[in-house]
Amino acid sequence: MAMVGLFWIAEGDVYVGAKPSGSAPGVRLTAEGVLPLGDGQPGFHLWEDVHALTVVDVPAKSLVRQVGAVKDLVLDTVLSLTMAGTPGGPYEAPALMTVRVETPDGERELAAHVAAAAGYSSTEVDLSRALLSRLTEGAATLATTLAAMSEWGRKRDGATPRAAEREELLRSWVG
């Protein structure tokens, strides 16, 4: 599994935001369409019906957010160690972003968890939004782009690449 821009790529699967588990909300991009995941997010949107795909409420990377992420990690570790054996323990769900799917029937808002605790760089956000827009340009573009993302995910060893490599990947997928 690896994060590239606003996408989480696990083996051949592509998600907007973090890959959800259990009943957590998420959005998976398949060759057939946009698949909402989690409780309260029913439906499936075929690509031929998707006119626009955008993401809003994306947290921007900042020094304050980075320091906050480190502080939270330290605090969670300390609490986990001191509360060992406590069922559930301290847990705060990651922030949510909104994935907007525009179809002939109107706009649908879906929730997806943020994968980057410290937020996303403006370059990765812009490239990710351009890539989402590209996916709605037509079947050939969609198939080629999603196939390239999936293939990269299948070959990846699991580690998230550094920022420069993530940006280069996004640029190559945008075309």
Side-chain angles (χ1 to χ4, degrees):
M1 293 187 284
M3 182 185 70
V4 179
L6 301 180
F7 305 96
W8 191 262
I9 304 171
E11 297 171 356
D13 298 332
V14 178
Y15 300 86
V16 179
K19 178 182 177 180
S21 63
S23 61
V27 177
R28 183 172 167 214
L29 306 177
T30 71
E32 295 78 30
V34 179
L35 177 61
L37 302 168
D39 289 346
Q41 297 204 126
F44 181 75
H45 307 282
L46 294 171
W47 283 114
E48 61 198 40
D49 297 329
V50 177
H51 295 210
L53 189 58
T54 58
V55 180
V56 296
D57 306 325
V58 179
K61 184 177 244 177
S62 68
L63 180 58
V64 171
R65 194 175 294 279
Q66 288 174 316
V67 169
V70 170
K71 176 193 66 88
D72 290 346
L73 179 63
V74 170
L75 183 59
D76 286 349
T77 301
V78 170
L79 287 173
S80 293
L81 291 172
T82 59
M83 298 181 76
T86 303
Y91 175 74
E92 184 177 326
L96 292 172
M97 15 184 214
T98 303
V99 180
R100 290 188 178 148
V101 182
E102 186 181 317
T103 68
D105 298 329
E107 188 175 86
R108 174 89 191 269
E109 291 191 347
L110 306 171
H113 282 291
V114 171
Y120 299 93
S121 74
S122 60
T123 301
E124 284 189 86
V125 171
D126 292 344
L127 288 167
S128 296
R129 286 178 173 155
L131 182 54
L132 287 169
S133 178
R134 183 161 172 68
L135 293 175
T136 64
E137 290 177 359
T141 301
L142 165 71
T144 303
T145 305
L146 266 183
M149 294 172 79
S150 295
E151 181 64 23
W152 178 85
R154 279 190 287 278
K155 291 180 178 179
R156 189 72 187 167
D157 65 2
T160 295
R162 296 203 173 271
E165 185 182 348
R166 293 192 309 264
E167 291 174 11
E168 186 55 39
L169 280 165
L170 289 166
R171 282 186 185 91
S172 72
W173 294 334
V174 168

